[in-house]
Amino acid sequence: MAAAGRNGRTVRDLRRANRTAVLQRLYFDGPLSRFELGPATGLSSGSVSNVVADLAADGLVEEAGSVGSDGGRPRTLLRVAPGSGHMIGVDVGETRVRVELFDLTLTELARAERPLAPQRYDVDVVVGHIRDGIAEVLAAADLAPEHLLGAGIGVPGIVEHTPDRGAVVHGQTIGWDAVPLEALLRARSPLPDSVPYLIDNGAKTLGQAEMWFGAGRGARNAIVVLFGSGVGACLVTPEVEHGRAVEWGHLTVRVRGRRCRCGALGCLEAYAGAESLLARWHEEGGRVPDGTDEETALTAMLAAAYPPGDAEPDPVALAVLDETAEYLGAGLSDLINLFQPERILIGGWAGLQLGTRFLPAVRRHALSYALRHPAEKVTVDLGRLGPDAVTVGAAILPLAGFFNRGGRRPEPAPQYPVPAWRTALQERAPH
């Protein structure tokens, strides 16, 4: 056992912290020379050399060319080796399950998608899609599963991490009541026990992606909104560094209002989600295409509201979109008043599809409903990472653990008993 110092930290803790500092600086700011790593990490030149040698021996750091040094010998540049680790990101979305395989620098290597029937979130089906998608992307990249750092999964609903059942999902809007998703995935997993499943709310994984690599970089206080069939949000502050999912879509905006898919009346999601937007268009006489998924139907609605050329817009579609923009803006004003963020970023497939046409109205309503002082300090913009932001954010879950361990492999995943009411899932799984 390593001896502990005065502050309780062991030599092993110190080495891990130093490895983490060097890896993170090279990851986010590299390539860098050893000379540059000193001031960037606060480590002495001797410590930098030792850590770099250690990381290079583990295959985590590699040379990336050289740069001149004011007439002296050229300095060797270093970077994180892209192939030294791999992660999987999974988005359990409203219309599909998307699975993507990334290298350590989050370059996509393979993807698989499985459609979901509208408003159908059968647990067995979703678990099967995740398992099959993971196997497919590993096969496409010819990668052995033990080389993975982990599989991150973004899901709708509240995720509870329990000591005896692992990650349990409370997804009231999709009919998931305390679903032990981690145990179900582990029961017939294509991954060895050395590769963990890391499960969290999809709005939070979207928020992590935008804060690490997108429009949130550099902000201390931000809110990232997931606007899809429903709506959710992730709050990031100095006190909540990795973000906290907030069930913003179930804020009550109208007493005795429309029935939300969670069962309550008057939720924001009953007015501002794509599902309710399309339902209101249909109720007002709009021509919603039969037999299409929500993404296709929303495309048709946008084409009706904003037709090309000199064609007359559909006044019903325009009116419903305007009303939705006001509800969404009013909901954002509550976030502005409560949390006073620097930035609000709107992502999710519906938010990106509505895009810049919709954003000015949302921004105008948000600022008009909010208190003047916090409203003057916030910007409202679209996210930058596109439709893959949730899978990228899900892949960040194992990547963050990799950094926290100083680049070490994860410990073997704990084994959780499969609930009796799901043993049939094992019997139906392919051998």
Side-chain angles (χ1 to χ4, degrees), residues 88-90 97-101 110-112 114 127-141 143 145 148 150-153 185 189-192 195-197:
I88 280 177
V90 180
V97 174
R98 178 182 287 132
V99 181
E100 294 183 58
L101 173 67
R111 74 163 57 200
R114 299 287 190 278
V127 169
H129 284 347
I130 295 171
R131 276 201 318 253
D132 295 344
I134 289 174
E136 182 178 329
V137 297
L138 289 172
L143 183 74
L148 289 173
I153 303 172
L185 286 169
S189 174
L191 304 180
V195 179
Y197 286 102

Side-chain angles (χ1 to χ4, degrees), residues 192-241:
D193 293 344
S194 59
V195 179
Y197 286 102
L198 303 165
I199 301 167
D200 218 324
N201 176 270
K204 181 177 174 181
T205 68
L206 170 68
Q208 280 203 301
E210 289 289 350
M211 295 303 291
W212 277 40
F213 301 108
R217 286 201 71 177
R220 287 170 54 79
N221 300 276
I223 291 172
V224 184
V225 170
L226 176 60
F227 181 17
S229 291
V231 290
C234 173
L235 168 70
V236 181
T237 69
E239 294 77 28
V240 192
E241 181 183 356

Side-chain angles (χ1 to χ4, degrees), residues 48-219:
V48 167
S49 294
N50 290 337
V51 172
V52 167
D54 197 23
L55 293 172
D58 288 345
L60 299 176
V61 167
E62 64 185 18
E63 294 185 1
S66 60
V67 64
S69 58
D70 298 329
R73 293 176 58 188
R75 291 183 180 135
T76 301
L77 294 175
L78 303 166
R79 68 175 183 181
V80 172
S84 59
H86 298 81
M87 300 85 63
I88 280 177
V90 180
D91 174 12
V92 179
E94 289 109 347
T95 60
R96 62 175 61 86
V97 174
R98 178 182 287 132
V99 181
E100 294 183 58
L101 173 67
F102 301 92
D103 69 14
L104 198 60
T105 59
L106 285 174
T107 298
E108 181 191 316
L109 303 179
R111 74 163 57 200
E113 294 191 355
R114 299 287 190 278
L116 290 172
Q119 301 177 357
R120 292 292 302 277
Y121 294 91
D122 183 88
V123 175
D124 295 12
V125 171
V126 171
V127 169
H129 284 347
I130 295 171
R131 276 201 318 253
D132 295 344
I134 289 174
E136 182 178 329
V137 297
L138 289 172
D142 194 22
L143 183 74
E146 57 267 20
H147 291 160
L148 289 173
L149 298 174
I153 303 172
V155 296
I158 298 168
V159 179
E160 178 187 14
H161 296 279
T162 68
D164 56 339
R165 293 192 297 166
V168 175
V169 182
H170 304 270
Q172 190 167 324
T173 60
I174 62 172
W176 284 19
D177 183 15
V179 171
L181 184 59
E182 186 175 356
L184 294 173
L185 286 169
R186 186 58 66 186
R188 289 292 301 225
S189 174
L191 304 180
D193 293 344
S194 59
V195 179
Y197 286 102
L198 303 165
I199 301 167
D200 218 324
N201 176 270
K204 181 177 174 181
T205 68
L206 170 68
Q208 280 203 301
E210 289 289 350
M211 295 303 291
W212 277 40
F213 301 108
R217 286 201 71 177

Side-chain angles (χ1 to χ4, degrees), residues 132-411:
D132 295 344
I134 289 174
E136 182 178 329
V137 297
L138 289 172
D142 194 22
L143 183 74
E146 57 267 20
H147 291 160
L148 289 173
L149 298 174
I153 303 172
V155 296
I158 298 168
V159 179
E160 178 187 14
H161 296 279
T162 68
D164 56 339
R165 293 192 297 166
V168 175
V169 182
H170 304 270
Q172 190 167 324
T173 60
I174 62 172
W176 284 19
D177 183 15
V179 171
L181 184 59
E182 186 175 356
L184 294 173
L185 286 169
R186 186 58 66 186
R188 289 292 301 225
S189 174
L191 304 180
D193 293 344
S194 59
V195 179
Y197 286 102
L198 303 165
I199 301 167
D200 218 324
N201 176 270
K204 181 177 174 181
T205 68
L206 170 68
Q208 280 203 301
E210 289 289 350
M211 295 303 291
W212 277 40
F213 301 108
R217 286 201 71 177
R220 287 170 54 79
N221 300 276
I223 291 172
V224 184
V225 170
L226 176 60
F227 181 17
S229 291
V231 290
C234 173
L235 168 70
V236 181
T237 69
E239 294 77 28
V240 192
E241 181 183 356
H242 297 295
R244 184 184 75 212
V246 289
E247 290 294 333
W248 171 61
H250 303 288
L251 182 80
T252 302
V253 295
R254 191 164 182 173
V255 176
R256 293 187 295 275
R258 292 176 64 88
R259 177 78 62 183
C260 177
R261 57 184 184 168
C262 76
L265 297 175
C267 294
L268 174 64
E269 190 167 293
Y271 295 90
E275 182 180 310
S276 64
L277 188 159
L278 292 167
R280 297 198 333 274
W281 185 37
H282 177 70
E283 290 163 8
E284 295 295 326
R287 295 183 296 276
V288 181
D290 292 331
T292 58
D293 60 27
E294 285 184 358
E295 294 185 37
T296 305
L298 186 58
T299 299
M301 184 180 185
L302 286 170
Y306 307 109
D310 297 327
E312 287 293 318
D314 178 352
V316 174
L318 268 177
V320 172
L321 284 169
D322 286 344
E323 183 185 44
T324 300
E326 184 165 9
Y327 273 112
L328 193 60
L332 292 180
S333 74
D334 290 323
L335 296 177
I336 293 170
N337 291 343
L338 285 169
F339 302 114
Q340 301 178 30
E342 300 168 47
R343 301 177 200 174
I344 293 179
L345 306 172
I346 298 176
W349 67 265
L352 296 172
Q353 204 164 333
L354 292 168
T356 53
R357 273 208 174 106
F358 195 62
L359 187 63
V362 172
R363 185 187 289 123
R364 184 175 66 253
H365 289 305
L367 301 185
S368 68
Y369 279 107
L371 292 169
R372 185 170 59 252
H373 180 68
E376 289 172 348
K377 297 178 178 295
V378 69
T379 60
V380 182
D381 294 297
L382 293 176
R384 292 182 189 161
L385 296 182
D388 293 340
V390 173
T391 49
V392 171
I396 288 174
L397 296 174
L399 180 61
F402 171 80
F403 285 144
N404 290 338
R405 295 187 302 272
R408 304 295 187 191
R409 302 290 305 178
E411 295 293 325

